[in-house]
Amino acid sequence: MMVSALFGVVSAGHLAVALWGAHRLRRNGNRLLIVPLLLCMALVYDNAVIAVGAALGPGAVLEVASIPRFAVHAVLTPTLILWAQTVACRAGVRWADSRAGTVIAWALALGSIAVAIVNDVVGLSLRPLWWAGTLRYANIPVPDTEALPVVITGVFVLVAGIGVWQRRRWLPMMLTAAVMTFAAAVAPESPLVGNMGELVLAAGLMGTAHWLRREPDTAALPATAVAKLTRRAGWIAFPALVVTTLWPGVGVVALVQPVYEILLVVHAQLGITTFGLPPKGNRLRRFHTGFGYANIPLLAAGQLLGLFPPTRDLAAAVTWALLISITVHIGIGVVFALRRRAARPARRAVPSKGPRTYTNSSH
């Protein structure tokens, strides 16, 4: 009953965020609030059904009440891709305002909706499922591509959030998308953590929509700061990738995987916006950056292949290839780090502080 009550608390949290968003929408007509508002209302219902599931018990009432949970998720969640692209465009993120960015956003959104409808509407097969004293109806057996629309949506919102942070210094969209990405990875083992991540994301999206309307244009992050952050994200992600490759799915190590994936997305996004596509610089710099860009399709391929049981061994091989590729990328990065260190001017000796001498200005 305690966990059921926690789902009720999450539902109430979504309701509070939705009421705030509805108030702001009615007051200033900010249409960017509409999608987060609809998302919150859907999640109010979703968490409320899970909260009362054990009390209702298995049966036709709970089963029928569960159908909208899947239908609404299938259509509504991928629309966040279009919402995130619109937000990034209004924030002045260059790629989001391009024709290619618009085409990619629509293709990903429509593709995700199609996959979700096939999985959770056409192929819906509800079975009662108990977890930690809660009862809900789940789509069993779980389709191999069940997580795909959520992963695509989460990564796109994260990428857009990184762009908004870099262009306008607004962190909440990126941070809450990162929290949701981590929570989604934990959700198969702990649905409550996944639903709490949705609450964090909903609050971040609602806050972003409100901020974008009232915040004046701010200067972008300096290029030198972006370059440093890009390198640090890569340095931190590398040991996490090593650990998860050597000991995949082992206990706490499994929690490290979404961390390195988030850091690699941050590293790649900042790298592309800093060094360009195709990359600029001398031959070694172009090779180093281009090699880093090659890790993006390797990461995506590993994730996609891991969804299907027949290709999971191949996904493991791709993960090893990713580790080797990133090791080469890091090795060249070490060369650049040593060059930067050698190029730093010697620090001037700081004179020792002596007693201050005061002069009487009245003379």
Side-chain angles (χ1 to χ4, degrees), residues 23-332:
H23 171 70
R24 302 307 308 179
L25 177 62
R26 187 169 56 250
R27 185 168 181 176
N28 55 36
N30 182 4
R31 288 184 293 177
L32 282 177
L33 293 166
I34 294 175
V35 171
L37 176 59
L38 293 175
L39 178 68
C40 282
M41 294 306 299
L43 292 172
V44 168
Y45 180 83
D46 183 89
N47 286 277
V49 170
I50 299 175
V52 301
L56 291 176
V61 173
L62 184 58
E63 183 176 358
V64 172
S66 299
I67 294 174
R69 294 176 49 227
F70 293 90
V72 173
H73 261 297
V75 177
L76 188 57
T77 299
T79 60
L80 287 177
I81 296 174
L82 302 177
W83 180 90
Q85 188 258 341
T86 301
V87 167
C89 181
R90 294 193 185 182
V93 178
R94 187 174 301 174
W95 65 261
D97 198 22
S98 66
R99 178 176 296 179
T102 302
V103 170
I104 290 172
W106 274 97
L108 291 176
L110 294 176
S112 298
I113 290 173
V115 171
I117 288 176
V118 170
N119 288 340
D120 295 331
V121 178
V122 178
L124 186 62
S125 176
L126 292 177
R127 298 289 185 274
L129 180 64
W130 288 92
W131 178 80
T134 64
L135 174 64
R136 71 188 191 279
Y137 273 81
N139 192 8
I140 299 175
V142 179
D144 292 334
T145 55
E146 179 72 17
L148 188 57
V150 175
V151 170
I152 291 174
T153 302
V155 171
F156 192 93
V157 174
L158 177 61
V159 169
I162 295 168
V164 172
W165 168 58
Q166 185 179 358
R167 175 63 186 84
R168 299 285 293 274
R169 306 193 186 198
W170 173 256
L171 265 173
M173 183 176 173
M174 183 187 78
L175 291 180
T176 54
V179 169
M180 183 64 243
T181 302
F182 179 84
V186 180
E189 300 297 327
S190 178
L192 179 61
V193 173
N195 287 31
M196 292 174 68
E198 290 175 337
L199 176 57
V200 172
L201 177 64
L205 300 183
M206 196 77 77
T208 297
H210 178 62
W211 161 82
L212 192 58
R213 178 181 176 86
R214 64 181 178 82
E215 185 71 11
D217 193 22
T218 53
L221 288 173
T224 53
V226 174
K228 288 181 181 179
L229 291 168
T230 304
R231 291 192 293 268
R232 287 173 183 172
W235 293 122
I236 297 171
F238 180 65
L241 173 61
V242 173
V243 169
T244 56
T245 304
L246 296 178
W247 299 282
V250 179
V252 180
V253 175
L255 300 178
V256 180
Q257 181 171 345
V259 174
Y260 93 72
E261 290 170 352
I262 292 168
L263 289 171
L264 283 183
V265 171
V266 172
H267 179 72
Q269 167 71 355
L270 293 179
I272 289 172
T273 56
T274 302
F275 301 110
L277 190 65
K280 306 176 182 67
N282 58 37
R283 182 177 298 178
L284 184 61
R285 168 66 70 187
R286 292 197 305 271
F287 178 78
H288 172 242
T289 309
F291 212 87
Y293 292 171
N295 295 322
I296 301 172
L298 280 176
L299 177 62
Q303 293 300 305
L304 290 174
L305 293 171
L307 295 175
F308 308 100
T311 57
R312 281 176 186 161
D313 290 340
L314 183 57
V318 171
T319 301
W320 276 100
L322 176 65
L323 176 59
I324 295 170
S325 176
I326 291 183
T327 301
V328 175
H329 183 65
I330 289 289
I332 302 173

Side-chain angles (χ1 to χ4, degrees), residues 344-350:
R344 290 175 185 170
R347 293 184 178 180
R348 295 179 180 178
V350 179

